[in-house]
C-alpha cells in the first residue's frame, strides 16, 4: 500500500483546479483518466465528440504530468481496459496500491447514482466533492427555487448578476436594464457575412484520438473530418480571445438568425470547452464585460452573452439536479411518435431540417435557434417521444452532457415538463423560420401554403399540435391568440389539418400502426 488516494477525473472535468485535484499529494496520489467504452457508447455519441473528449483527456494528462503529478492514463486501445469507470477505478486501486478514491460530482444522474454505491462495491472510502466550477451551488439553487411556483430564468439571472457583480453599477444593472434581448432578434441584412474564426489544426494527439475513434466506433453518427476544435487549454483560450475581439460585438444583433452555409454566425462556439473544463465561465464573462467597459463591444451583445452563461447555463444545471430523476420521465404532452430517420441521414426535402442535420453531422454543432426552432420545434409539433429526442441531442452535439442537454430538450424545446421551465411551448409554424432564415427560398415546400402537397409541413403540424393539445394548453394565457384562431376554424378546416398532419407523419415514420 502506498497510502495515497486515487484522484478520478472524468472526461468533462479537465480543469487543473477541479475539486478532486485540490490538496493532491504529488508523491503518493495518482490521477486516473480512463477512456472507456461504457462512457463512449451509453448513447452513440458523435464521432467528433468522442475524439474531442479523448484528445482533450490526453492533452490534460500531459498538462498534469508537466505539473509534476502521477497520472494513470488508460487508453481506449489498452488490452486490459475493463471499459467501465468503476472497473478502471477498481483496477487502479489494486494495481497502484491505493486505499481511497477522491472525485468530483459528475454531470449525469446515471453515473452519480452508480458512484454513490462505490464505497460499498469497492470496499474503499469514496469521497465525492461538489463541482464548484459552477457559479451557483446546488444548495443555493435549491434555496432560490424553494417555494416558487414558477422557476423563471430571468429572476435567477438577476440573482447571478448581483452575486457575481457582472455588468452591475452598484446595485443597478449597467445601462439601466437587466436584459437587452429585444434588440437581439434581427434578420441578417443582405450582404452581411459573419467574421472569420480561429480553428486549430489537429496535432498528433488529436490525430491519434481521431484514428482510435474511426477504428472503434465506425457505426456512430458524424464526421471526424474536418477537425478544427481545440483540445488544449491554451488553444481554447486563444479561440475565446478571438471571439471576444472579433465576433462578440455582433453577438446580440443576429443571435436568432439562420443562414445557409454559415453554421457559426456570431455564436461563440465555446460551449464544448466550457462543458469539459477547458474554459472557466466566470473568467470568460469577466473578459466579455471588460470588452464592453473598454468600448470594444456594445452592451446588448455583452449582456446577451453573459446572460447565456451565468443565466441559462447555471439555471439548466440547477434545475437538472433539483428535479432529477423524475424530470427525465415527464411527458406532459403525452408525445409518443418515433424519431424520423432524417434526424440521422438529413434525407428530407425540408431544407431547414436537412441543413441543421448536415451541419450537426459535420461539426457536432448547431447553434441555439437551429436546436430550438428547427429540430426542436419539429419534434415538438410532430409529437415525438421526448426520450427519443433526448437521446438524439445527447448523442450528436460535442457539448452535450445530460445536466445541460436534458433540461434544454425536455423543458425548453419539448415542453415535456409541462411548464416548469418555459411559460409556453416554443411551437412555431414555417413563418417563424422564414422570418429568421434564408432557408425557405431553397426548399421543395412552399412556406406560404397552408394546404396541399406543397404546403410547408411546419404549417399543418403547428395547427395539428394546437388542436391535439387544445385541452391541455387552454389555460395558458400566452397561447390565447392561437387557440382563439383554432376555435374560429371550421370543422372542415380542422379535419383537413388533422388529415394532412397524419398523412405526413405516417410518411416519415413518426406515426405507425
Ligand atoms: P452561444 O450562443 O455563443 O452562447 C454562449 C454560451 O452560453 C454557450 O457556449 C453556452 O455555454 C451558454 N448557453 C447558451 N444557451 C444556453 C442554454 N440554453 N443552456 C445552457 N447554456 C447555454 N447546450 C449545451 O451546452 N449542451 C447541450 O447538450 C445543449 N443541448 C441543447 C438542446 C436543445 C434542444 C436546445 C434548444 C439547446 C441546447 N443547448 C445545449 C443550449 C445551446 O443551444 C448551446 O449551449 C449553444 O448552442 C452552444 O453554442 P455556442 O457555444 O456557440 O453558444
Ligand atoms: C462523454 C464521455 C466520453 C465519450 N468518454 C469518456 C471516457 O471515456 N471517460 C470519461 O471519464 N468520460 C467520458 N465522457 C464524459 C462522461 O460521460 C461524463 O463525465 C459523464 O457523462 C458525466 O457528465
Ligand atoms: Fe423549413 Fe418549411 Fe421553410 Fe421548407 S418551407 S425550409 S420546411 S420552414
Amino acid at each position: 500500500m502506498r497510502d495515497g488516494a486515487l484522484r478520478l477525473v472524468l472526461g468533462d472535468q479537465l480543469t487543473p483546479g477541479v475539486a478532486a485535484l485540490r490538496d493532491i499529494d504529488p508523491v503518493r496520489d495518482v490521477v486516473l483518466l480512463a477512456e472507456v467504452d461504457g462512457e463512449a457508447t451509453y448513447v452513440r455519441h458523435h464521432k467528433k465528440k468522442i475524439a474531442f473528449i479523448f484528445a482533450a483527456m490526453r492533452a490534460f494528462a500531459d498538462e498534469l504530468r508537466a505539473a509534476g503529478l502521477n497520472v494513470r492514463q488508460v487508453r481506449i486501445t489498452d488490452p486490459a481496459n475493463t471499459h467501465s469507470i468503476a472497473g478502471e477505478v477498481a483496477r487502479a486501486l489494486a494495481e497502484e496500491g491505493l486505499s481511497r478514491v477522491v472525485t468530483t460530482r459528475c454531470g449525469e444522474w446515471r453515473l452519480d447514482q452508480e458512484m454513490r454505491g462505490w464505497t460499498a462495491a469497492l470496499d474503499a472510502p469514496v469521497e465525492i466533492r461538489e463541482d464548484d466550477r459552477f457559479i451557483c451551488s446546488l444548495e443555493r439553487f435549491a434555496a432560490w427555487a424553494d417555494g416558487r411556483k414558477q422557476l423563471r430564468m430571468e429572476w435567477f439571472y438577476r440573482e447571478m448578476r448581483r452575486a457575481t457583480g457582472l455588468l452591475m453599477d452598484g446595485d443597478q444593472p449597467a445601462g439601466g436594464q437587466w436584459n437587452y434581448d429585444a434588440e437581439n432578434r434581427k434578420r441578417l441584412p443582405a450582404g452581411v457575412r459573419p467574421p472569420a474564426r480561429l480553428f486549430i489544426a489537429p496535432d498528433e494527439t488529436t490525430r491519434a484520438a481521431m484514428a482510435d475513434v474511426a477504428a472503434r466506433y465506425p457505426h456512430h453518427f458524424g464526421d471526424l473530418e474536418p477537425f478544427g476544435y481545440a483540445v488544449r487549454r491554451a488553444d481554447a483560450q486563444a479561440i475565446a480571445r478571438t471571439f471576444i475581439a472579433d465576433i462578440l460585438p455582433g453577438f446580440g444583433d443576429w443571435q436568432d438568425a439562420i443562414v445557409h452555409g454559415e453554421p457559426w454566425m456570431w455564436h461563440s462556439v465555446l460551449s464544448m470547452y466550457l462543458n469539459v473544463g477547458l474554459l472557466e465561465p466566470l473568467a470568460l464573462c469577466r473578459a466579455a464585460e471588460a470588452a464592453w467597459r473598454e468600448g470594444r463591444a456594445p452592451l446588448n451583445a455583452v449582456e446577451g452573452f453573459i446572460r447565456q452563461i451565468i443565466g441559462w447555463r447555471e439555471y439548466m444545471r440547477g434545475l437538472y439536479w433539483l428535479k432529477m430523476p423524475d424530470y427525465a420521465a415527464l411527458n406532459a404532452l403525452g408525445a409518443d411518435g418515433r424519431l424520423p430517420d432524417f434526424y440521422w441521414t438529413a434525407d428530407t426535402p425540408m431544407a431547414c431540417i436537412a441543413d441543421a442535420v448536415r451541419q450537426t453531422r459535420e461539426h457536432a454543432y448547431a447553434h441555439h435557434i437551429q436546436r430550438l426552432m428547427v429540430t426542436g420545434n419539429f419534434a415538438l409539433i410532430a409529437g415525438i417521444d421526448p426520450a427519443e429526442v433526448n437521446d438524439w441531442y445527447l448523442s450528436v452535439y460535442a457539448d452535450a452532457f445530460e445536466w445541460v442537454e436534458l433540461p434544454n430538450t425536455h423543458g425548453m424545446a419539448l415542453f415535456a415538463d409541462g411548464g416548469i421551465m418555459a411559460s409556453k411551448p416554443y411551437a412555431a409554424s414555417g413563418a417563424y423560420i422564414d422570418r429568421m432564415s434564408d432557408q425557405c427560398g431553397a426548399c421543395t415546400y412552399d412556406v406560404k401554403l397552408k394546404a396541399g402537397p406543397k404546403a410547408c409541413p411546419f404549417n399543418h403540424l403547428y395547427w395539428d399540435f394546437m388542436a391535439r393539445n387544445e385541452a391541455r394548453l387552454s389555460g395558458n394565457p400566452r397561447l390565447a391568440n392561437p387557440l382563439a384562431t383554432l376555435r374560429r376554424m371550421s370543422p372542415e378546416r380542422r379535419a383537413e389539418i388533422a388529415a394532412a398532419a397524419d398523412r405526413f407523419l405516417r410518411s416519415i415514420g413518426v406515426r405507425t400502426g
Side-chain angles (χ1 to χ4, degrees):
M1 277 281 175
R2 92 204 249 177
D3 194 28
L6 183 69
R7 308 278 180 155
L8 171 66
V9 174
L10 297 168
D12 53 355
Q13 298 177 340
L14 309 178
T15 314
V18 74
L21 296 182
R22 241 162 264 158
D23 69 14
I24 188 165
D25 182 325
V27 178
R28 285 185 299 192
D29 293 355
V30 176
V31 181
L32 173 64
L33 284 155
E35 301 164 16
V36 294
D37 278 344
E39 292 307 303
T41 62
Y42 69 93
V43 289
R44 281 184 162 208
H45 299 289
H46 194 299
K47 291 194 199 80
K48 193 166 276 173
K49 174 182 185 181
I50 307 178
F52 163 66
I53 290 172
F54 284 2
M57 289 173 79
R58 294 175 191 188
F60 190 54
D62 294 342
E63 192 180 335
L64 295 181
R65 280 198 198 95
L69 300 180
N70 299 313
V71 181
R72 179 181 169 101
Q73 194 185 2
V74 180
R75 300 281 181 117
I76 200 70
T77 47
D78 180 344
N81 195 325
T82 57
H83 287 299
S84 75
I85 299 286
E88 284 314 297
V89 168
R91 198 160 70 94
L93 285 175
E95 291 178 8
E96 304 285 344
L98 298 166
S99 55
R100 63 192 178 94
V101 181
V102 180
T103 192
T104 311
R105 185 177 186 143
C106 72
E108 302 197 352
W109 177 267
R110 83 188 151 85
L111 192 56
D112 184 61
Q113 285 304 289
E114 191 194 310
M115 284 181 167
R116 309 231 164 235
W118 278 2
T119 296
L122 298 167
D123 196 22
V126 178
E127 183 191 346
I128 302 175
R129 297 181 176 171
E130 283 311 310
D131 189 348
D132 52 14
R133 296 174 301 163
F134 291 87
I135 295 156
C136 182
S137 71
L138 299 180
E139 290 67 32
R140 181 171 189 164
F141 189 88
W144 172 77
D146 192 35
R148 284 174 198 258
K149 259 183 37 208
Q150 294 193 315
L151 302 180
R152 295 287 167 255
M153 197 289 296
E154 184 63 27
W155 305 115
F156 170 76
Y157 165 57
R158 292 180 189 184
E159 281 223 5
M160 291 299 100
R161 287 272 295 276
R162 290 194 188 94
T164 57
L166 280 161
L167 294 181
M168 295 298 292
D169 288 332
D171 61 356
Q172 290 305 306
Q177 255 171 260
W178 289 101
N179 184 319
Y180 292 85
D181 220 15
E183 296 173 28
N184 292 351
R185 295 199 182 113
K186 299 182 187 126
R187 198 191 157 111
L188 192 67
V192 177
R193 280 290 166 264
R197 322 198 139 237
L198 176 62
F199 291 105
I200 308 293
D203 60 7
E204 240 176 73
T205 303
T206 309
R207 287 263 162 234
M210 290 165 74
D212 287 346
V213 170
R216 203 164 181 96
Y217 310 111
H219 304 304
H220 284 217
F221 172 77
D223 303 339
L224 279 162
E225 303 272 5
F227 194 105
Y229 296 139
V231 303
R232 291 176 193 278
R233 195 171 319 283
D235 289 335
Q237 285 164 346
I239 291 178
R241 275 196 303 276
T242 60
F243 165 72
I244 288 174
D246 304 338
I247 301 168
L248 176 64
F251 179 85
D253 292 354
W254 303 296
Q255 213 181 325
D256 288 4
I258 300 174
V259 175
H260 175 73
E262 299 290 355
W264 327 108
M265 299 297 284
W266 278 259
H267 292 275
S268 69
V269 196
L270 295 176
S271 50
M272 65 193 86
Y273 310 127
L274 288 165
N275 293 356
V276 303
L278 294 185
L279 291 179
E280 287 176 47
L282 204 50
L284 185 61
C285 291
R286 296 223 186 280
E289 177 175 13
W292 171 65
R293 294 216 181 261
E294 291 158 20
R296 290 180 280 119
L299 186 54
N300 72 309
V302 172
E303 186 282 315
F305 180 68
I306 288 177
R307 173 162 24 90
Q308 307 310 311
I309 295 178
I310 67 167
W312 282 112
R313 185 172 185 273
E314 295 283 330
Y315 170 87
M316 292 294 174
R317 175 177 181 259
L319 194 77
Y320 177 79
W321 289 107
L322 187 70
K323 298 290 180 187
M324 282 298 277
D326 301 347
Y327 198 75
L330 298 176
N331 187 357
L333 302 180
D336 61 359
R338 303 270 71 81
L339 189 78
D341 286 348
F342 58 65
Y343 273 75
W344 304 105
T345 61
D347 187 10
T348 165
M350 287 181 282
C352 54
I353 295 201
D355 229 28
V357 174
R358 271 195 298 265
Q359 269 177 37
T360 300
R361 186 167 62 200
E362 188 173 350
H363 302 298
Y365 176 85
H367 69 65
H368 186 66
I369 293 301
Q370 291 173 301
R371 296 188 207 196
L372 182 64
M373 298 310 293
V374 179
T375 45
N377 177 30
F378 185 86
L380 169 73
I381 61 181
I384 300 171
D385 182 346
E388 293 203 20
V389 184
N390 272 305
D391 270 8
W392 185 78
Y393 278 101
L394 191 55
S395 309
V396 302
Y397 292 115
D399 57 23
F401 299 91
E402 202 183 67
W403 65 265
V404 55
E405 176 279 327
L406 182 75
N408 265 296
T409 308
H410 220 75
M412 194 186 279
L414 300 181
F415 206 69
D417 68 5
I420 293 175
M421 177 184 305
S423 53
K424 67 171 182 117
Y426 280 93
S429 67
Y432 174 89
I433 295 173
D434 192 31
R435 196 163 58 246
M436 294 317 301
S437 81
D438 65 353
Q439 308 264 268
C440 299
C443 188
T444 310
Y445 293 107
D446 186 336
V447 73
K448 300 273 185 292
L449 292 181
K450 307 225 169 349
K454 290 275 283 174
C456 166
F458 282 84
N459 292 344
H460 48 74
L461 289 179
Y462 172 80
W463 287 112
D464 185 55
F465 168 81
M466 289 295 171
R468 280 195 328 267
N469 293 293
E470 191 176 353
R472 286 188 185 101
L473 300 175
S474 63
N476 188 317
R478 296 196 62 199
L479 293 178
N481 284 341
L483 288 175
T485 307
L486 180 74
R487 285 186 198 114
R488 282 196 299 273
M489 285 181 189
S490 66
E492 293 73 26
R493 175 70 187 130
R494 287 180 73 136
E496 187 187 19
I497 288 167
D502 191 59
R503 240 184 346 263
F504 177 74
L505 292 174
R506 284 181 194 286
S507 76
I508 60 171
V510 170
R511 287 190 191 159
T512 52

